[in-house]
Structures are given as C-alpha cells and as structure tokens.
Amino acid sequence: MSMLLVLTLFAPSFVHAEPSFTSDLFKTKWQRADKPISDGTANPSRSWLWGPDSFSPVAGNTEPYTESPGGTRQVLYFDKARMEINNPANPLVTNGLLVRELISGKQAAGDTTSITRRAADDISVAGDPANNNGPTYASFAKIASLNNDNPSTDKTGQPVADTIDKAGNVGSNTELGKKAKYAYFDNALKHNIPDVFLTFMNQRGNVYVNGQLVNDQPILGENTLAPWLEAAGLPITDAYWGKVTLAGQEKDVLIQAFERRVLTFTPDNPPAFQVEMGNVGRHYYNWRYNQKYDESAVTPTPVPTAPPTTTAPAPTSGCDSLPASTGGAYPILKCGPAGMVMGAIAPMGNNELVNITIIAGSGGLGSIIMYDVDVSNPDGNLLYSWASTKNQQGQWKITFQGVSSGKVAETYLWAEPPVDKPTIIVFPNPGRLDQDITTVIVGFNPGEQVNVLFTPPNPQGAFAGHLHASSIGGGCTWIWTVREMYKGYEQYLQPGRWLIVASSADGQRSANATITLNK
C-alpha cells in the first residue's frame, strides 16, 4: 500500500551559500572555479571542482604532518578533495594525494612516512555508497602506478574499451569503446587520458579572479602544458569502464584514477554533468576517521566521535536547535526516532535531474554520507525518502541541487533514540479529510510485513492493507489523503476520530494511534 502524493510548492529565487572557510587562502582557491557554479553564473554549465560543502576534522582544523611546523598542517575537506597549507610561512594551497592513499592503504604522515591501514576495499569509487557492486578504490591496486610500476603503452587515438569489476578483474568491451577514445599519453607514469577527461580538464568558462568574473580555465595550475596537474595530479591508471549502481540502477561509468582525484564519465547524464570529479574528499574522510581500517601498530590519527563541521554546523542538542531550511525544502517529519523512513521535499525545475546529498546522524555511527540522483515531478516538486538505521541518531542534513536549473535547497531533521516497541506517529493531528496525512511507523523487525488498518468513525468503512518495514531500520512511512483513498466510498468520509492500527503479520506486536480529521 503506497500513496505518495505531490504537494504544491512554489520555488523562491535562491543562491547557494558559500561553504565555511578556515583560511582566506582556501576561500580564494574554492571561489575561482566553484563560486560561479554556486551562484549560477557558470557559463557554460559545468560540474564541481571542489564541491558545495566544506568540513574539517572535529578535533580542529589541522592534521598531523611531520614536515609542517609543529608537526601539523592546516586542512579543509570538500566533497571532491582536501586543501592543505603545509607551511603558513609559504602561503601555498596544495591538494592532497588522497587517491594514492585510498588505493594503497598508506596514510601519509609526512613526505616520506606513512601509516599502514587497510585499503578502501568497501568504499565505491563512484555511485551509490551502499548496495553498489561497482569497483572500490582497492579494486585498482593491481593496476595502479603507486611505485612507478604498472606502466601502460601509448594508446593515443585508440578506443577506451577496458573494463574493471569490484574484484579488480579487467576485461574489454568493444561497444563501450565507441563512447570515448584516448587523446593524451602522460610520460611521467606512462598512462593514457581519454578525450572526455582531457576536454573537461582543459575547458574554459566563467571563473572568479580578484572578485571579478573572467573567462579562463577553471582547472588551472602553473604547468602550462598540463594545467590540470595541480588539481588532479598524474594519472596512476588508464581509464576503465565499471558497472556502477547510480540511484539504484546499474550503469556503465568510465573511471580513471589520478593521484589527487578520480574522474568519472557517465554517458547517461546531462552533457554538462557527464564528466565529474569523484567524491574523493568525502570518501577519504570516512576512510581516515574510521577505526575499522586500522591495521597498524603505529598509533593512528585520533578518530573524531562526531561528524565533520559543515556549512550548517550540527547543533549540540535536539530538534529545537536545527538550522533553518533554505530554498523551500522541508522534512516530512522534523523529529522522530532513529530507524524510521525519513523524507524531505524540495522545489526544483520541472522534470529535472536532481543531485541529493545526505549527511547522516551526528551521533551513533558518526558521519555517514549518502548520495543519490532523482528526477523531480512535472511541477518541479521532488519528494525523496530513505531508510535510516537505529544507530543513526542526531542531526541529518539533506541537500537538493538541480542539475540544469542550479537550484539548491537544504533542510534538516533530527533522529531521536530508537523506540523499543512498535510505535505510530501521525501528523498533522488534527488534520482535514482533503489534506496529506503522514503516518510514520517504527519499531518492527527489519523487512517484516506490517498490516495496517484504518477505521473511520463508521467502522463499516475500515480500510486494510500492508506495508513492509525497511530492511535496515524496521520502519515505514506512508503519505495519504483520506479523500483520495476513499474515492468511490465517499459515504465513509466522515469528520471525527479515525483509528490507525499497525500490527506484525503474526499478530504478536502492534501499535495504534488516533487522528481527528475535520472537513
């Protein structure tokens, strides 16, 4: 039983706020390429170089690094990368060699020292963070040039037909090879770069320089022959096609690992977003600050116990301290128990591809990042829902970004401690017969069938159906309108007190709630 009804919303004019910066040097670096994307002035449209959000280690704005003064260097993370200032006396912003570390499992502690950890063998290079059988960073370990090994030969002009799977097995697909060809051979580590990636890295467009919009290369470094080197680093693999899960659907995505970045090419995406920088910054942060990857006797960098600082810092307590939503977005339920099926609504462009970023739970598991892509309704409204686990407690941040319109909307919700028995939350209460009513059911076993019975003031009009609790949290959420549900049975559309009962299939566990519905 599922009734998700479209709500009528109006999209205000909105410009995405800039990330938080811990240094003006970081701000200048970010603004050059990404401020035009953020404020909608990028012409032509292009994907992010750094990303819309920044975050820092909770312990401070620094990380240990042997050669830096005092043994620490200032860092700032973005979705796509990490900025670094190794020495304040030399105001140079560098871009971390994060991909090397994720593939090798060698966390840099200095110029020549590292901490041995488990490679990122369960972090997908591209696509959905869960239920994704695409290649991980560790999948590239056998083919990457990490120690001047695994060189390729010059393939300039040849089709890009190589494939790779999650186990690191390589193959070939001639049909996919028709979608891209190699255009450049880098002699340093001897790897080829496809035309789609080279064009992206050498593109021109609006950038900010000294506060002014000018036409130049967004990806620009001091090397005039290869200006992308500063941002991406050297290619450490050739490009490989992988079967990647995107928004729950398996797609062919071309992936290439560079020292500092991962580039992806998704032919099914809109042209301006077919080539994107991978979310290396997010992936690396989750790898570095997760103890399960520790495999060394050397004491690793201290692990934070809270999520990263973002552009909207997590409150220290509860629902009443949540930041204000922006861009017209709002959560279906602002506060509720962990384990529930959550939802949020945002006004986007009509029938628009929308990127969705979810920063989950400031307690329990810490920072859990989820990404997805969805399509808005013909009227521009997008209702997005997802399941939470019982240990994903605290603040959640949901960001919607329209691919073509550039609209950005953000909203927040708070997950309280989970319930220990079946529970129903229904709102608004009281409501109206012609109004959308949300029923949140929690406390059942993950994946089990939940029988639902709606009983109006006249019990002869009882309406029965069933839902399935989410496989990870044991919750389910249903949005319904009595008037729509009872089409053809209007004689039971009576104002008054309605009873909702949810029970397990064996009848051993149940919950009930009442709602008063007016005309």
Side-chain angles (χ1 to χ4, degrees):
M1 181 170 60
S2 176
M3 292 186 181
L4 297 181
L5 304 180
V6 176
L7 307 182
T8 301
L9 302 173
F10 297 93
S13 176
F14 180 73
V15 176
H16 183 58
E18 288 189 3
S20 298
F21 298 100
T22 54
S23 166
D24 286 341
L25 296 174
F26 292 153
K27 182 177 182 178
T28 300
K29 193 80 168 178
W30 180 89
Q31 283 184 332
R32 176 185 169 83
D34 281 1
K35 181 173 172 58
I37 302 174
S38 177
D39 61 21
T41 58
N43 185 19
S45 296
R46 60 177 184 266
S47 57
W48 298 91
L49 177 61
W50 301 99
D53 287 324
S54 64
F55 48 102
S56 300
V58 172
N61 299 321
T62 63
E63 290 176 339
Y65 200 75
T66 302
E67 281 73 21
S68 294
T72 62
R73 63 180 173 184
Q74 188 175 356
V75 299
L76 185 63
Y77 284 88
F78 295 85
D79 300 312
K80 312 294 184 183
R82 180 185 69 196
M83 292 185 189
E84 310 152 346
I85 300 176
N86 294 298
N87 188 344
N90 180 20
L92 175 66
V93 176
T94 57
N95 186 3
L97 301 170
L98 306 188
V99 180
R100 274 187 170 274
E101 297 181 38
L102 287 164
I103 293 176
S104 67
K106 301 290 186 181
Q107 179 184 309
D111 290 347
T112 59
T113 57
S114 63
I115 298 171
T116 300
R117 309 184 76 222
R118 194 180 105 207
D121 55 4
D122 58 356
I123 300 178
S124 299
V125 174
D128 298 348
N131 301 317
N132 185 348
N133 203 39
T136 68
Y137 287 91
S139 305
F140 290 86
K142 295 180 180 178
I143 59 174
S145 294
L146 301 175
N147 298 294
N148 295 319
D149 52 354
N150 298 319
S152 185
T153 57
D154 191 340
K155 300 177 183 177
T156 302
Q158 297 181 27
V160 184
D162 292 331
T163 62
I164 189 170
D165 63 14
K166 191 171 187 176
N169 301 313
V170 297
S172 182
N173 186 313
T174 54
E175 286 301 310
L176 291 175
K178 297 175 182 179
K179 299 179 182 293
K181 64 181 180 180
Y182 283 116
Y184 179 81
F185 181 68
D186 181 74
N187 275 300
L189 297 179
K190 301 190 181 307
H191 286 290
N192 299 273
I193 300 177
D195 51 0
V196 289
F197 293 155
L198 195 65
T199 299
F200 173 80
M201 292 191 295
N202 288 326
Q203 69 180 308
R204 298 183 68 88
N206 288 4
V207 299
Y208 272 93
V209 178
N210 297 323
Q212 300 295 320
L213 272 177
V214 299
N215 186 273
D216 203 346
Q217 290 179 257
I219 304 174
L220 185 64
E222 295 182 358
N223 189 316
T224 56
L225 296 178
W228 40 266
L229 272 176
E230 181 182 311
L234 295 169
I236 55 177
T237 69
D238 281 4
Y240 291 82
W241 291 95
K243 293 286 186 182
V244 171
T245 303
L246 288 169
Q249 297 183 348
E250 188 177 75
K251 294 187 177 183
D252 294 304
V253 177
L254 186 63
I255 304 165
Q256 183 166 21
F258 292 72
E259 293 176 302
R260 309 176 191 278
R261 304 292 187 113
V262 165
L263 281 174
T264 64
F265 169 58
T266 309
D268 292 344
N269 278 359
F273 294 87
Q274 288 179 335
V275 176
E276 297 178 283
M277 294 284 184
N279 291 311
V280 170
R282 292 285 185 186
H283 296 161
Y284 180 87
Y285 186 98
N286 290 340
W287 175 76
R288 180 175 181 126
Y289 292 109
N290 192 325
Q291 290 176 313
K292 75 176 184 179
Y293 299 104
D294 292 343
E295 288 187 350
S296 173
V298 179
T299 302
T301 303
V303 180
T305 58
T309 301
T310 67
T311 53
T316 55
S317 64
C319 184
D320 294 336
S321 300
L322 288 175
S325 298
T326 59
Y330 63 93
I332 292 175
L333 178 62
K334 185 178 179 181
C335 302
M340 66 180 176
V341 173
M342 301 175 171
I345 297 172
M348 295 282 111
N350 299 345
N351 297 310
E352 182 180 28
L353 191 69
V354 179
N355 291 321
I356 302 162
T357 303
I358 302 175
I359 303 178
S362 58
L365 290 180
S367 175
I368 300 171
I369 311 301
M370 291 182 283
Y371 300 90
D372 204 350
V373 179
D374 208 341
V375 178
S376 62
N377 294 316
D379 64 355
N381 299 309
L382 175 59
L383 167 58
Y384 185 79
S385 62
W386 67 97
S388 66
T389 67
K390 293 183 179 180
N391 54 359
Q392 289 175 327
Q393 301 172 39
Q395 177 179 297
W396 291 61
K397 174 184 176 184
I398 305 92
T399 302
F400 300 82
Q401 181 179 13
V403 170
S404 56
S405 70
K407 292 180 179 178
V408 178
E410 294 177 342
T411 191
Y412 303 83
L413 57 84
W414 187 268
E416 303 284 2
V419 297
D420 57 4
K421 61 182 180 180
T423 302
I424 299 176
I425 303 169
V426 58
F427 63 96
N429 191 4
R432 300 191 312 273
L433 294 172
D434 60 352
Q435 184 178 20
D436 291 318
I437 305 297
T438 300
T439 303
V440 176
I441 302 172
V442 288
F444 286 89
N445 295 327
E448 78 171 329
Q449 178 175 305
V450 179
N451 295 326
V452 183
L453 178 69
F454 294 84
T455 304
N458 181 351
Q460 292 183 343
F463 184 99
H466 68 268
L467 304 165
H468 281 89
S470 75
S471 60
I472 62 173
C476 44
T477 296
W478 189 42
I479 301 176
W480 52 286
T481 303
V482 175
R483 195 174 297 281
E484 291 289 332
M485 190 166 66
Y486 277 78
K487 273 187 175 179
Y489 302 93
E490 285 77 12
Q491 65 269 31
Y492 300 114
L493 285 176
Q494 301 171 348
R497 193 177 77 162
W498 290 59
L499 175 66
I500 304 171
V501 178
S503 59
S504 58
D506 60 9
Q508 297 301 307
R509 298 177 315 284
S510 65
N512 63 75
T514 60
I515 180 172
T516 300
L517 295 177
N518 302 312
K519 289 185 178 179

